[in-house]
């Protein structure tokens, strides 16, 4: 059964929804991000950095968790797991949790170059269960991806918004053949362009 990510994220951590933490980048104007909620990953699961000064940010990498939102959240918070993503989008309501600040390098792509140059967005669900790819999930994720693209000057194209499976050397199959790339890119491109 699909559950509300907002309820799960806040209940699991005892957090109330907060103002978007991704709404500002160092030295840049605010970009119109959808509401996000700060749920920090373990500091053992990402690399502190100063992107885009240290590394250019020029990809968005789309993932599917193969877990529920709360289980994936626990993985990101477990220092033994050595994995994280910048964001995760819940299936039922499009709730967005932010786990790693964009200036830092999340360990999501399985390829150091793509980790340093990418923003990783996880999506609650399984690659073979399309019922998790809800309208709310697609809409919230598309708004987030568009805002990330605008902040860093990333073209809103299939060459720059890629699946985890397309990262060189990837051993993962997500987001899988049931992820509707045409629909997703239409939604991303339909977002108002925000200049920084």
């Amino acid at each position: 059964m699909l559950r509300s990510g907002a309820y799960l994220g806040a209940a699991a951590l005892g957090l109330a929804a907060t103002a978007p933490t991704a709404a500002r980048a160092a030295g840049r104007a605010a970009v119109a991000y959808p509401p996000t909620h700060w749920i920090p990953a373990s500091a053992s699961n990402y690399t502190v950095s100063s992107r885009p000064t240290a590394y250019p940010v020029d990809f968005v990498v789309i993932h599917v968790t193969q877990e529920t939102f709360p289980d994936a959240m626990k993985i990101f918070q477990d220092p033994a797991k050595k994995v994280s993503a910048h964001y995760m989008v819940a299936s039922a309501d499009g709730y967005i949790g932010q786990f790693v600040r964009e200036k830092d390098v999340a360990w999501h792509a399985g390829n150091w170059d793509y980790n340093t140059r990418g923003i990783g967005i996880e999506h609650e669900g399984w690659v073979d269960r399309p019922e998790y790819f809800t309208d709310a999930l697609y809409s919230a994720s598309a708004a987030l991806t568009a805002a990330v693209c605008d902040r860093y000057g990333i073209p809103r194209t299939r060459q720059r918004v890629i699946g985890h499976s397309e990262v060189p050397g990837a051993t993962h199959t997500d987001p899988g053949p049931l992820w509707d790339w045409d629909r997703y890119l239409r939604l991303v491109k339909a977002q108002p362009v925000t200049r920084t």
Side-chain angles (χ1 to χ4, degrees), residues 2-188:
L2 303 181
R3 297 186 193 148
S4 164
Y7 169 78
L8 293 169
L13 294 172
L15 297 175
T18 60
T21 59
R24 299 197 183 279
R28 294 175 182 238
V31 174
Y33 273 56
T36 61
H37 304 88
W38 179 241
I39 309 170
S42 167
S44 297
N45 293 342
Y46 64 90
T47 301
V48 174
S49 187
S50 59
R51 300 186 317 162
T53 303
Y55 303 98
V57 176
D58 51 16
F59 286 99
V60 175
V61 182
I62 302 300
H63 302 265
V64 173
T65 59
Q66 299 294 104
E67 300 282 351
T68 63
F69 189 106
D71 286 348
M73 179 177 64
K74 288 176 191 170
I75 290 168
F76 293 165
Q77 294 176 326
D78 181 344
K81 295 298 186 180
K82 307 299 182 203
V83 67
S84 62
H86 292 94
Y87 298 98
M88 183 168 36
V89 183
S91 175
D93 57 6
Y95 170 90
I96 302 171
Q98 182 178 5
F99 296 85
V100 177
R101 286 175 171 51
E102 289 180 7
K103 74 174 189 67
D104 296 327
V105 178
W107 300 346
H108 62 97
N111 173 313
W112 181 247
D113 181 45
Y114 278 70
N115 281 344
T116 63
R117 296 167 51 209
I119 299 293
I121 303 176
E122 287 279 2
H123 297 81
E124 179 183 26
W126 284 262
V127 296
D128 59 349
R129 296 177 63 186
E131 65 270 21
Y132 275 86
F133 304 153
T134 63
D135 291 344
L137 178 139
Y138 275 121
S139 294
S141 178
L144 176 60
T145 292
V148 169
C149 288
D150 290 354
R151 171 176 289 165
Y152 298 102
I154 302 169
R156 297 180 184 187
T157 65
R158 204 44 195 92
Q159 292 73 37
R160 294 298 177 164
V161 180
I162 64 171
H164 189 183
S165 61
E166 297 167 311
V167 171
T171 60
H172 290 245
T173 62
D174 59 308
L178 301 177
W179 181 262
D180 190 339
W181 279 110
D182 291 338
R183 175 185 182 191
Y184 187 65
L185 264 292
R186 273 195 309 273
L187 289 168
V188 170

